[in-house]
Structure formats: C-alpha cells, structure tokens
Amino acid sequence: MIEDEVAIRRFLRSSLDRKEYELVEAENGRHGLQLAATASPAIILLDLGLPDMDGVEVARSIRDWSAVPIIVLSARGREQDKVDALDSGADDYLTKPFGIGELLARMRVALRHAAKLDASETVLEVEDVRIDLSLRQVLRGGVEVHLTPNEYKMLAILARNAGRVLTHRQLLHEVWGPGYESETHYLRVYMGQLRQKLEATPAQPQFLLNEPGVGYRLKA
Amino acid sequence: MIEDEVAIRRFLRSSLDRKEYELVEAENGRHGLQLAATASPAIILLDLGLPDMDGVEVARSIRDWSAVPIIVLSARGREQDKVDALDSGADDYLTKPFGIGELLARMRVALRHAAKLDASETVLEVEDVRIDLSLRQVLRGGVEVHLTPNEYKMLAILARNAGRVLTHRQLLHEVWGPGYESETHYLRVYMGQLRQKLEATPAQPQFLLNEPGVGYRLKA
DNA sequence: GCAATCCTTACGCTTTCTTTACAGGCGGAA
DNA sequence: TTCCGCCTGTAAAGAAAGCGTAAGGATTGC
C-alpha cells in the first residue's frame, strides 16, 4: 500500500489483516517504489495524491519493470484522472470513498489475472533437467520424470532457492512441517532418490549438492 | 455487447464505431451466450438487468469455457452486486451512468490483460478425444460421448488446465463447491467413470492421469 | 413412476513413507 | 599411520496412505 493519509492506512490495515493479507506500507512515492522492488508484493494499492510525486508517475515507473497488479485508490473522481491512471499501467481505479467489500472483490480479480500470467515464468533448467513449478512437472532430457510428493516438494524448494544453501532444518520444516526438524536421515534418503532420478551419475552429483554439516543446495 | 436498453445500445454503438471497434449486439442473455461462442469477441460488455436471465448467470456460463474479458455495465450500484459480478468471473464493473472515456480506458486495460494471456483455446484434442468447451461437447473417434454434469465439469476443469496438475482440493472445490474439499473418494469415482468413457484401456490411462498423493492432470 | 445421476461403502491393489541397517569418506587424535 | 567418530549415501522391508473398481441405495428431474 502506497498511501499517505493515516486514516485510510489504518482502515485498510485492519480490513486486510482480518482477511489474512500481509500488508506492507509506504507513505510516499519514493518509499513505495523501493518497497515495490524489494518486498515483491502480490498486489499494489496506490494512492494518487502522494506528498512527493504523482501516483500516475509511480504506476508508470513500476510498469517499467514489473507486471504486478496495481489498483489505484483516489479521491479524484474526474474522468480524465481515471483514464490517465489506467493508461499509465494501473489495472483498476476506485474512487474514495469506496466499500471494503468492493475493494476486496477487485483485488481477487487482480490476483486471478496475475495467477494466470506468472504461471508461465516459473521454469528452471539445470544440466538436462527442466523443472516447471506451475505444471508441477520435471523433465530430464525431454522425458518426464515421475516424482513422489515428498521428492517433488523438496526439489521445488531447492529450485525456488536455486544457488542458495538450505539448512537441514529449513528443508525438513518446509517438506515435513514443524516438529520434524531433526530427522536429518529423511533428507539423505530423499536426496538419494532425487539424485537417482535426475543426476547422470548419482554418486557424483552435479547439481544436487551437499554442504557438509549445513544442508543442501541446487546449483543454479 | 449484451444489453437490452435501446438508448445504451445506440450510445455505445456510435461511440465504439468512432474508435473502430467492431460491435456485435445481443438484446438478451440467451442470444448473448450464443454470440459469445460464435462471434469470438475480444471483449464482452454485459448488462446485468437482462429480460430473460440475470447477467451474473451469463458471466458464470461464459466463464465455464472462456477467459474472454467481461466488463459489466449496470444500473445497480449496490456493493453486493459488484462483488457478486466480479466473483462470478467479470473483470470490471461500471455503474451507469458512466463516461465513455472511462469505459474505453477500462476496455484498453482488459485488452492489455487478454493480450498477455490469450492461450484461451476452447478446443482440446488428446488421442482420439476432442473436447469443445464452447459447445460443451465431447467426441471420441468422431462420436459424441454423453457425460453427466459432474463428469463434464471435472473434465472441463482438467482441460482448461491441460498439462497442469490440479490438486484434489482444487478439483473438489471447483466441481462440488466450497466445503467438499476433503471428499477425495468422489474424485476416484468420477475419474473412473471418465476413463471408462474416454480411455481406450481404462485400467492403463493415457491422458487422464493420477499424481499419487497430489491430484490429477490431463496430459496435453 | 421411471430413468438418470449422484452419493456411499467395501475391498483388493499399488504407491509412498518411514524406519532400520550398513558401508564409505573425511578429519582429528592417538 | 591407524583408529575413531561424525556425517553422508545406499538399500531394503514393513507400515501406512492412497487409488481403482464395483455395486447398491438415495436423490433428482421429467
């Protein structure tokens, strides 16, 4: 949310909290642009009347590098304001005052759109292995490889954090849930199975790598 | 445009003609649904107060087989009307009276979205089976196969997400609605029936595939 | 009242998970 | 060097969970 009025901020914060949205707040344009880049929001609620720059400019800047849905919330009801904002990359425009129900519905629309879009941008390739997170499909040399739920979960987490080392605890927590953080032998078994299915020579892994004493990582 | 009021029809016709949009008109819901399937519009402008059926129903029916952008134009300004329409698959909602400039801007937004998606095929062929979502028709080897409502719903969802794994929860939610997300045995029964009707050897399915512990998918 | 469809249940079978056992490699200490 | 402990990788087997199928009863719509 990029919004300077305290009243609106408080109103949205309480409404969105209740719906289990996680809200990150910026009170001016500069800070908003910075957060848009660093917090990777699923959606941006943007006020037009910001203290340091015009909201339309903020929308345009974000559109230079991101397709994240932008919903403009504005006190300006003039038609030209709406046209300008929508043509600058905003996906929707609500005039204050608006009902929280309508805002939430329009947010669902925006998220629906976004879900269909970025489904196509979640593919990772290493060696001759292709991991498609949106299809939940793994290919090796063009041939589909069947993975069990746990195998896939573990690979997906490694893929989403490609290049980074994930600790034993992190992996166990993500795949098996809380309470399993010390069952490190699970990791050895499943890592072995993944290597068996994906590595050319499972005994000398090329990308499913162990960091002794720490955890595992997927070479990018 | 699906709209029964003559005045609005005339207004939109002249406005859109001038912008070189090609306009196809339906004056009731039934005709609108038919045109939506045959005229393959880039966008649908939908009135809620139609003589023969509710606009929300029209939107829902179209969403069963198409992702075409739907912009609702309505005299109803109540928040709940907006929420219902948007949650039924509409992409935007304008309350009459509206400015033509705003409508055009919102149409541009919708077209922008559609351009990025556009993988909206309504016919899918796998093996000797042909699924036509706009006709609600399934052929096998050129012969029409009769499917019960639930069977068809389930197949349609799989077809619209061809290649992607749909979880048990997703399928149950889409076909049976909220509250049935844990009745996984429904899926087994209906998947069995679909295979019986569509697969050459139901016991060794070629395209209606199970992902053990996760869900099902239709092989593309 | 009839036919189609849906829901429910039971059973055998397959896949996956968990657990255990053991072997190899590496580094530090004796 | 040799031994030991620690961490890691491999294999296999029993337990648990999930799946496919058939069939009968309930429900719905005509």
Side-chain angles (χ1 to χ4, degrees):
Chain A
M1 166 169 54
I2 309 176
E3 165 72 74
D4 64 321
E5 289 177 57
V6 178
I8 307 252
R9 285 233 299 278
R10 187 155 41 206
F11 169 58
L12 288 180
R13 197 184 308 142
S14 70
S15 307
L16 296 180
D17 268 6
R18 206 170 307 138
K19 296 286 178 177
E20 308 204 344
Y21 287 100
E22 189 185 333
L23 188 60
V24 184
E25 305 178 25
E27 67 294 331
N28 59 48
R30 190 186 323 274
H31 186 206
L33 284 174
Q34 185 201 320
L35 272 184
T38 54
S40 60
I43 213 169
I44 293 178
L45 304 179
L46 173 65
D47 182 27
L48 286 192
L50 298 170
D52 58 338
M53 57 194 291
D54 192 273
V56 171
E57 280 311 312
V58 175
R60 209 169 274 144
S61 301
I62 293 173
R63 273 293 166 274
D64 284 345
W65 57 272
S66 168
V68 58
I70 300 175
I71 298 181
V72 167
L73 312 175
S74 171
R76 307 180 196 163
R78 278 184 40 233
E79 183 169 28
Q80 194 55 47
D81 290 317
K82 300 184 188 179
V83 173
D84 289 345
L86 294 170
D87 282 342
S88 299
D91 297 288
D92 208 338
Y93 190 110
L94 269 87
T95 307
K96 299 177 191 173
F98 50 82
I100 189 68
E102 178 175 359
L103 173 63
L104 290 170
R106 289 185 182 273
M107 285 174 65
R108 288 193 289 274
V109 170
L111 290 172
R112 217 158 62 201
H113 286 151
K116 291 191 183 168
L117 278 178
D118 61 32
S120 50
E121 295 161 15
T122 49
V123 184
L124 183 80
E125 294 195 63
V126 226
E127 308 274 315
D128 64 338
V129 172
R130 181 187 175 89
I131 304 166
D132 189 324
L133 294 173
S134 76
L135 295 182
R136 196 197 180 279
Q137 180 179 253
V138 179
L139 301 181
R140 179 180 167 199
V143 181
E144 176 154 10
V145 179
H146 173 74
L147 299 182
T148 72
N150 281 356
E151 287 166 6
Y152 181 82
K153 269 194 212 169
M154 191 158 148
L155 181 65
I157 291 158
L158 288 166
R160 267 195 287 274
N161 297 280
R164 270 196 289 275
V165 180
L166 292 171
T167 65
H168 297 136
R169 295 186 65 81
Q170 286 176 312
L171 283 167
L172 286 162
H173 185 85
E174 294 282 344
V175 178
W176 281 268
Y180 287 80
E181 285 87 349
S182 49
E183 310 281 336
T184 53
H185 52 287
Y186 287 9
L187 296 180
R188 284 196 281 283
V189 171
Y190 280 89
M191 184 54 69
Q193 292 174 26
L194 280 176
R195 285 174 177 153
Q196 206 65 44
K197 291 182 178 182
L198 300 178
E199 291 272 4
T201 45
Q204 288 100 46
Q206 296 303 300
F207 52 93
L208 291 169
L209 307 178
N210 170 246
E211 295 287 339
V214 185
Y216 294 87
R217 73 189 166 92
L218 181 69
K219 198 174 126 190
Chain B
M1 165 170 55
I2 308 176
E3 165 72 75
D4 64 319
E5 290 178 58
V6 178
I8 308 248
R9 285 233 297 280
R10 189 155 37 208
F11 169 58
L12 287 181
R13 198 183 310 142
S14 69
S15 307
L16 295 181
D17 268 6
R18 204 170 309 137
K19 294 287 179 179
E20 308 203 344
Y21 286 102
E22 187 185 335
L23 188 60
V24 183
E25 304 179 25
E27 68 293 331
N28 61 48
R30 190 186 321 274
H31 186 206
L33 284 174
Q34 186 200 320
L35 272 185
T38 55
S40 60
I43 217 171
I44 292 178
L45 304 179
L46 173 65
D47 182 26
L48 285 193
L50 296 170
D52 59 338
M53 57 193 292
D54 193 275
V56 170
E57 280 310 313
V58 176
R60 211 171 274 141
S61 302
I62 293 173
R63 274 292 166 274
D64 282 344
W65 58 270
S66 169
V68 58
I70 298 176
I71 299 181
V72 166
L73 311 175
S74 171
R76 306 180 196 163
R78 278 183 42 232
E79 182 168 31
Q80 194 55 46
D81 291 319
K82 300 184 188 180
V83 172
D84 289 345
L86 293 170
D87 281 342
S88 299
D91 297 289
D92 208 340
Y93 190 110
L94 269 85
T95 306
K96 300 176 188 174
F98 51 83
I100 189 67
E102 177 175 1
L103 173 62
L104 290 170
R106 288 185 183 273
M107 286 173 63
R108 287 193 290 275
V109 170
L111 291 172
R112 214 158 64 202
H113 285 151
K116 292 187 185 171
L117 292 169
D118 224 11
S120 48
E121 275 294 328
T122 62
V123 180
L124 184 79
E125 294 196 62
V126 238
E127 309 274 315
D128 64 338
V129 171
R130 181 188 174 88
I131 304 165
D132 189 324
L133 295 172
S134 68
L135 294 180
R136 198 200 177 282
Q137 179 180 255
V138 179
L139 303 181
R140 179 177 169 203
V143 183
E144 176 153 13
V145 179
H146 171 75
L147 299 182
T148 72
N150 279 358
E151 287 166 6
Y152 180 80
K153 266 197 210 171
M154 190 158 148
L155 181 65
I157 291 157
L158 288 166
R160 233 175 289 130
N161 296 280
R164 181 174 296 126
V165 177
L166 293 172
T167 64
H168 299 134
R169 296 186 64 81
Q170 286 176 311
L171 284 168
L172 286 162
H173 186 86
E174 295 282 342
V175 179
W176 280 270
Y180 288 81
E181 285 88 348
S182 49
E183 310 281 336
T184 53
H185 51 287
Y186 289 9
L187 296 179
R188 284 196 282 281
V189 172
Y190 280 87
M191 183 55 68
Q193 290 170 188
L194 280 176
R195 284 176 177 152
Q196 207 64 44
K197 292 182 177 182
L198 300 178
E199 290 271 6
T201 44
Q204 288 102 43
Q206 297 303 300
F207 53 93
L208 291 169
L209 307 178
N210 169 244
E211 293 284 340
V214 185
Y216 293 87
R217 75 193 166 91
L218 181 69
K219 196 173 131 192

